[in-house]
Amino acid sequence: MKVCIIGQGYIGLPTAVLFADNGCEVVGVDINPNIISSLNSCELHIEEPGLKEKLELAINNKRYSASLNPQKSDVFIITVPTPNNIEDLSCDLSYVISACESIIPCLGKGNTVIIESTIAPMSTNKIIKPIFEKAGFEIGKDLYLAHCPERVLPGKIIEELINNDRIVGGITLQCSNKAAEVYETFVKGKIMKTEAKTAEMSKCMENTFRDVNIALANELTKICSKIGVNTLDVIELANKHPRVNIHSPGPGVGGHCLAIDPYFIYSLAPDEAKMIKLARNTNNSMPRFVVDKTKEILKDNSTTNTNIKQIKNPKIAILGVSYKGNTGDTRESPALTCIELFKKEDFEIGIHDPHINDENYCSFEECIENASICIVLSDHEEFKNLDYDLMKEKMRNPIVFDTKNIVKNNNSKDLKIINYGNL
Ligand code: SAJ
């Protein structure tokens, strides 16, 4: 089987090497010439455990090559980004549409086309199907079209692509059957067949479910902080109930999925999707909450014990910028919004993230030097055990505000650790 995969990013590339690993001939297509030349020399442009080894093997076995142009194949898989449209936050299908148009000259009767990109419900039927019909194909007869969303967690992509259950949503039953055969090449999880529109809604709803539940945890934090209850204890105790799973509160929700996909549903039915929109607003309000709480903490701990403006030029040390622990991925990261808000209020800030190379960021030591408070915004492994002695020595006020509840308490009287439990 020859497979052509359009988009060689976080999903397209790992999918490509897994097909190659399982005996297929694979062409990985991307519009970025730098990505194509680096992939052909076995250089990765994304960080993902196990990917490099698999790419090397695929190239050495001559089963994988990267190209700027699609080639005639049996199967075409589209894995390109789908951001929000600026005006109404609906699903921007422009990359998907141009990827579909780009494969038309290579399509032949009996081919299968699979859209893996996350798309708004009804997109396959209303927007993608007509593109191929216009080109003369009858869907379900001489071309098979399906939406098969991926559901993998960055950092575990290879493992989850193989083992997770997979939704296969065809335009017709024959389309679902053909798409299922494609994934049987390497998927060990269950392959569940359905209609395209159901697959689209399921994928958007998976991320929306998580976003709404995180919003509930964040709302709980605000309530508990107002009335003086320990949020983290509440969550721990409530979650002992066999049917309760309160998520973790934090500085907001980032990433390219949870912070984006709920709007795809909302923009289709704004009058009905009230809870979905409220959850987005709640999660988007968390950076403001973090900044306001930081100011309160500084005020409470100021030596003059009066007004924050009277602490002369407090310096804020930001620990962690990425949206997800142990990665350098900053897409939609709430830490970036916190930084912007602090800057707008003219706070001096130092920024440290051991997973990100950025000339504006500095070492841990430089970051905490003379700081009045350290704010942990990403749950990186490195932040679990902070160097308390160094902090006591270097910081003006040895206070840590841990918004991710990961910093281990050293029970030292000299270093104050504040989290969402004791705000
Ligand atoms: N977060 C919280 N509290 C929590 C859990 C997460 O504040 O209890 C925050 C994180 O800090 C982060 C954001 O939410 O800022 C999203 O992180 P994540 O790890 O939950 O999700 P993603 O965006 O990396 O990946 C999600 C996954 N979807 C689900 O778990 C339903 C993944 O399986 C999907 O494949 C991916 O979206 C996607 O591509 O849609």
Side-chain angles (χ1 to χ4, degrees), residues 174-207:
Q174 188 60 357
C175 293
S176 299
N177 290 339
K178 286 282 182 182
E181 273 171 32
V182 170
Y183 289 106
E184 275 159 14
T185 313
F186 68 84
V187 171
K188 295 200 176 123
K190 231 188 258 162
I191 296 180
M192 302 167 295
K193 294 177 203 168
T194 184
E195 291 175 87
K197 60 184 178 187
T198 315
E200 291 161 340
M201 185 58 113
S202 307
K203 165 72 190 192
C204 289
M205 210 48 208
E206 286 167 14
N207 286 336

